Amino acid sequence: TAGYFNLYQVKSRWEEFMTRLKKKGGKEEGNEASDVKEFFPFQVYFSNAPQPIFKGDSYLEDLDQAEGCYRHIQKIFDQLDEFRAFELMRSGLDRANYLLVKEAKIIAMTCTHAALTRRNLVKLGFRYDNILMEEAAQILEIETFIPLLLQEPEDGHNRLKRVILIGDHHQLPPVIKNMAFQKYSNMEQSLFTRFIRLGVPAIELDKQGRSRASLANLYNWRYKKLGNLPHVLTSSEYLTSNPGFSFDYQLINVEDFNGVGESEPNPYFYQNLGEAEYVVAVYMYMRLLGYKSEEITILTTYNGQKHLIRDVVKQRCGDNPVFGFPKTITTVDRYQGSQNNYILLSLARTKTVGHLRDVRRLIVAMSRARLGLYVFARVGIFANCYELTPAFKQLLKHPTELHIYPDERCPTNRKTGDLPPAAKVIKDMPEMSKFVYDSTTK
């Protein structure tokens, strides 16, 4: 072990060094200054230190320098002594448990992991004083309590001193698949939301730093005086337009494709081929202009549409390195807590609004984009929904036909709010698909 090596290899040599100096004696004699350099046992170790270590002018000065070198070595072994347990523990699990209980200052885990490992943590003597829960509004009430009980009481009192819950009750709640539990037992209400509804004092942030100011207007109506951080108003990326698009956000009307709007091959498995093709065509158009694939995310409100879009992307872009795959293709519910520069959102439904009527899902959908949001939907269905009016009223300030500027390339110097000189208006999905196909084959 390191302790054994220090005792028998390092300290023994130092003691021998000091003994030889004492035998020499005569600190007053001038020629004794060279003895320190001659007998010092760690010269090879300090060979890469600034030279010379021993100047030979004074015995006392050189001895003091030697003692300083020895102290440096002992500090190394003092630090190693703190981790002596790792030399004695052979398995990775034992070492991880030792770190968890003895050394770690900050420990991160999910509430589910806390529930699964609670018994082991209590048995290890796990101790903590503070808990910080992120996305607390999306955690089941019972799941919120479990992390509070990962340690045994001390003298009948819980050691826990502080619990900090961070979340947004205006966004989606925990997922409860059983409708009876969800609605009649109110299990989808998180402890965070319960506290807010009971009037427990809370700090509500009044500035956002994710989206352009224009995009923030799509969801800031849901919050009290939600403004923008200074960098949103001054940073160059927020002040520059989206290359190839007339607007930084747009609601694009998608009519039936081949006489079909939404379809339902399986119960609640909603798909819309017209919207899927339109979204993928716009993604391909963006890639042709020079957008990075990792900056683009495709979202939808239904699993069926998600799978359909993935199939279309695979068919249209999978074998072409020019396009590749976007960073993520997923549902709005799954994407809560994440963000990207550009979001292409497909709402899929053409007969009813569906579960987007839940304003919390709308807020999540509108707040994922930093620089550009393009929503593909049957405008007549969603614009007439009372719950969605504030957001769609803002979206309808721009035309519902896609306005593009194909002569522009990424990056651009055009400022936000400056319309391109000659925008091309795309009437429908077939026109956009044909335009992208023609651009690709040129």
Side-chain angles (χ1 to χ4, degrees), residues 8-41:
Y8 288 97
Q9 302 295 333
V10 179
K11 286 187 176 180
S12 62
R13 282 173 167 76
W14 176 256
E15 290 172 359
E16 181 184 354
F17 166 70
M18 295 301 295
T19 302
R20 296 179 72 177
L21 288 181
K22 286 180 181 178
K23 286 182 179 179
K24 277 279 187 179
K27 293 184 179 180
E28 294 80 9
E29 298 178 16
N31 60 352
E32 294 297 333
S34 61
D35 291 342
V36 176
K37 180 178 180 181
E38 180 182 349
F39 298 145
F40 186 66

Side-chain angles (χ1 to χ4, degrees), residues 208-209 211-213 228-240 415-416:
Q208 70 85 28
S211 309
R212 295 182 191 270
N228 302 297
L229 291 173
H231 76 273
V232 172
L233 305 175
T234 58
S235 179
S236 60
E237 66 174 340
Y238 292 103
L239 298 178
T240 306
K415 299 299 180 182
T416 302

